[in-house]
Amino acid sequence: MKRNLLYLLPLFLLFILGEACSPKSDPVPVQEPFGTFSGKFRLLVRNPTKGGYDTVKKDSALILNLASTGRFAVTGDTATIHAGSKGVYRYDGVYMGFLDSTYKAVPQTKFHLAGTYAYLYNGTVLAIQRVNAAQDSILDYRFNKTSN
């Protein structure tokens, strides 16, 4: 019996060393995008001759308030291009989803912060972006954190 255990000892040691030296790391916690942010909303339109998104068609200064309770509000320059929005939001580290209670499913004259957007947040800068279904324009929000 002892002889059998001695044969298994090197395998057991290899298993322990393999686990200890594996390249796995602890998951990085997602930065929580809470607070008040100020920045710009831009509508980027595809350039038909170059093919890239390089034409700014709309530019509006906004304030975005993201509460830790999951509520949001968009204020600021909401007179012509972007509508004031409010409602609930969720995030998962890659996407943010906004359910705007002021949005109606009819043709809109102003843009609303509604739907699912890809986002990046580093604790100071919040970038939110979505390409429309026709792939001919991008809704782009760039914010800097101003307060908690």
Side-chain angles (χ1 to χ4, degrees):
M1 179 74 171
K2 285 183 180 180
R3 192 178 318 159
N4 289 341
L5 289 177
L6 286 176
Y7 291 126
L8 294 176
L9 184 61
L11 292 174
F12 183 70
L13 289 174
L14 283 174
F15 176 76
I16 291 175
L17 287 174
E19 284 295 314
C21 298
S22 73
K24 297 178 189 174
S25 63
D26 292 333
V28 177
V30 175
Q31 291 248 6
E32 298 176 339
F34 301 141
T36 302
F37 300 84
S38 66
K40 296 256 184 199
F41 162 74
R42 300 179 306 160
L43 174 64
L44 304 172
V45 178
R46 181 183 290 275
N47 185 322
T49 57
K50 295 180 185 174
Y53 295 96
D54 65 352
T55 307
V56 176
K57 291 292 185 185
K58 309 283 184 188
D59 195 343
S60 182
L62 299 176
I63 297 170
L64 174 64
N65 187 339
L66 298 174
S68 61
T69 59
R71 311 250 345 132
F72 81 95
V74 175
T75 58
D77 182 10
T78 59
T80 58
I81 298 165
H82 201 286
S85 299
K86 63 182 179 180
V88 295
Y89 77 100
R90 294 193 65 133
Y91 65 95
D92 67 1
V94 178
Y95 296 103
M96 290 183 90
F98 295 91
L99 183 59
D100 183 0
S101 63
T102 66
Y103 179 77
K104 306 279 189 270
V106 296
Q108 300 286 321
T109 58
K110 298 180 190 178
F111 291 94
H112 287 255
L113 183 57
T116 303
Y117 296 77
Y119 84 99
L120 293 172
Y121 179 59
N122 66 5
T124 305
V125 176
L126 175 63
I128 305 171
Q129 195 173 79
R130 180 176 79 189
V131 178
N132 74 351
Q135 302 283 320
D136 63 354
S137 63
I138 297 174
L139 303 174
D140 182 61
Y141 298 84
R142 302 292 164 135
F143 295 107
N144 291 314
K145 189 167 189 173
T146 58
S147 67
N148 287 332

